[in-house]
Amino acid sequence: MIVRILLPTVAMLLASAASPPPVATYGEGDFVRVRKFDAHVHANVDTPEFLAVARSDGFELLSINVDYPDFPPLATQEAIAVKMHAADPKRFHFATTFSMDGFGTPGWPARAQQQVTAGLARGAVAVKVWKNIGMVAKDTQGKRVFLDDPRFDPVMANIETRGVPLIAHQGEPRNCWLPLDEMTTENDRAYFKAHSEYYMYLHPEEPSYEALMAARNRFVARHPKLSVVGAHMASLEWSVDELARFLDHYPNATVDLAARMTNLQAQSVKDQAKVRAFFLKYQDRLLYGTDLTQNPPDPAARAQNPPAADDFPAEASRVWRADWRYLATGLSQRVDAIKGDAAGLALPRGVIDKIYYANARRVFRLGT
């Protein structure tokens, strides 16, 4: 009789020992108290609002200067960034850039290097190259310029020597090459409808998506000692499988998630286990980012992704909290951009801590 009582008890203990303990995750209530870093924003207005909401919601920021005609001039962007960095150097960081004006002329490499050197001297922690390289910029002979052009080599050598990352926005979401009614997210549809010059489906004479990705990949391969951050999921947002292959092939690359959360959610609605497994496997290579942009008021401004808002602090907090709900918790939420609900990935606390903070601090050499 004693044996009959003990045997089930022993079996239950053995089964309990074989089962892994439940993985600790964060809840919505943890949002404010956890250290976080938005590694892709654009603070283009001389106002304390962005820093104030970042402090309130527990974020450090990396504001990225961009050679983009819809933004203020580069000198203005950098002046604002330097001022905000001085106001809160532990919370506000920025990336500098260089102008493509005059590319192909004898004096361009020296001017570009001077811009990079000056930006870093003012406190920048990274350098940005934008999609105009490959999609817009031409040299003095009228030939399209791609990132793997050897004329960039002196500038890239300077960046590598200084030990700072290059943030590379190359190409666009693959939706850019699809008809509007075949795009997978509403935010892409709105952006490209408003920015026809970047909507490649309307410009079949322009480089293909595949050509732009190939040029970027050649560049990353040619600079194995350069830390490269692929902005916007390295424009491989449509497939975590493709992004995994990119990260496997290029160990010097990391990627940020800026403005591509809805593309991830569209995939996780179809196969949440695959998307979650991707985050677990590449937890050291992913940087949280949003592309939140505060620009001067402009009644004629076109659609942005994320969209501009009249109440910027409220919109920033809304975006941050919605992303936290998706990545950190198992809660579901309505996502208008995919016209459906997306369940949260409930990533482990340790993974969230890396993606939301530790990875950015390491990549941008800010310490732990």
Side-chain angles (χ1 to χ4, degrees), residues 93-269:
H93 318 280
F94 71 97
T96 191
T97 190
F98 52 84
S99 173
M100 286 296 293
D101 290 347
F103 184 88
T105 62
W108 182 85
R111 289 196 300 274
Q113 290 187 65
Q114 192 278 329
Q115 288 176 299
V116 168
T117 299
L120 296 176
R122 296 183 184 111
V125 297
V127 180
K128 171 69 179 283
V129 290
W130 193 53
K131 65 188 178 186
N132 57 339
I133 301 173
M135 299 188 73
V136 178
K138 296 181 180 180
D139 64 14
T140 53
Q141 304 302 312
K143 184 179 179 181
R144 181 62 50 82
V145 178
F146 295 90
L147 191 59
D148 63 335
D149 191 308
R151 288 173 288 184
F152 284 112
D153 286 353
V155 180
M156 298 306 159
N158 183 26
I159 295 169
E160 183 180 318
T161 298
R162 294 174 181 278
V164 297
L166 180 79
I167 304 170
H169 177 181
Q170 294 296 286
E172 287 281 31
R174 197 176 67 157
N175 280 337
C176 180
W177 282 263
L178 299 176
L180 288 172
D181 60 359
E182 293 183 22
M183 291 187 183
T184 55
T185 63
E186 291 298 317
N187 49 331
D188 281 345
R189 188 173 292 114
Y191 179 83
F192 291 116
K193 188 175 181 180
H195 295 80
S196 59
E197 71 272 35
Y198 302 129
Y199 182 20
M200 292 299 101
Y201 178 75
L202 300 178
H203 304 283
E205 73 284 359
E206 295 291 344
S208 67
Y209 171 81
E210 292 76 15
L212 292 168
M213 295 299 96
R216 186 272 314 284
N217 291 350
R218 289 192 298 269
F219 170 83
V220 178
R222 276 179 51 195
H223 299 276
K225 295 182 180 180
L226 179 65
S227 172
V228 179
V229 179
H232 309 295
M233 296 181 67
S235 294
L236 297 169
E237 74 301 316
W238 59 279
S239 170
V240 293
D241 292 332
E242 289 296 320
L243 185 52
R245 279 189 275 273
F246 172 79
L247 292 171
D248 288 343
H249 200 71
Y250 304 106
N252 56 320
T254 55
V255 299
D256 74 37
L257 309 178
R260 300 296 182 262
M261 202 66 68
T262 56
N263 303 93
L264 279 168
Q265 290 166 330
Q267 293 178 71
S268 68
V269 166

Side-chain angles (χ1 to χ4, degrees), residues 267-348:
Q267 293 178 71
S268 68
V269 166
K270 295 179 180 178
D271 193 340
Q272 187 186 47
K274 176 192 283 190
V275 174
R276 191 173 190 274
F278 168 81
F279 273 90
L280 295 178
K281 182 174 180 179
Y282 297 98
Q283 59 186 272
D284 296 309
R285 312 281 296 279
L286 308 175
L287 311 178
Y288 176 73
T290 58
D291 208 17
L292 284 166
T293 301
Q294 189 175 30
N295 271 331
D298 180 2
R302 298 175 293 173
Q304 297 295 324
N305 183 17
D310 293 333
D311 187 346
F312 179 80
E315 177 63 12
S317 189
R318 184 199 67 77
V319 169
W320 284 335
R321 289 171 186 273
D323 289 349
W324 178 266
R325 185 181 179 100
Y326 172 62
L327 295 173
T329 83
L331 301 172
S332 183
Q333 62 185 307
R334 175 72 181 182
V335 180
D336 290 338
I338 62 173
K339 297 182 178 179
D341 294 339
L345 298 180
L347 297 173

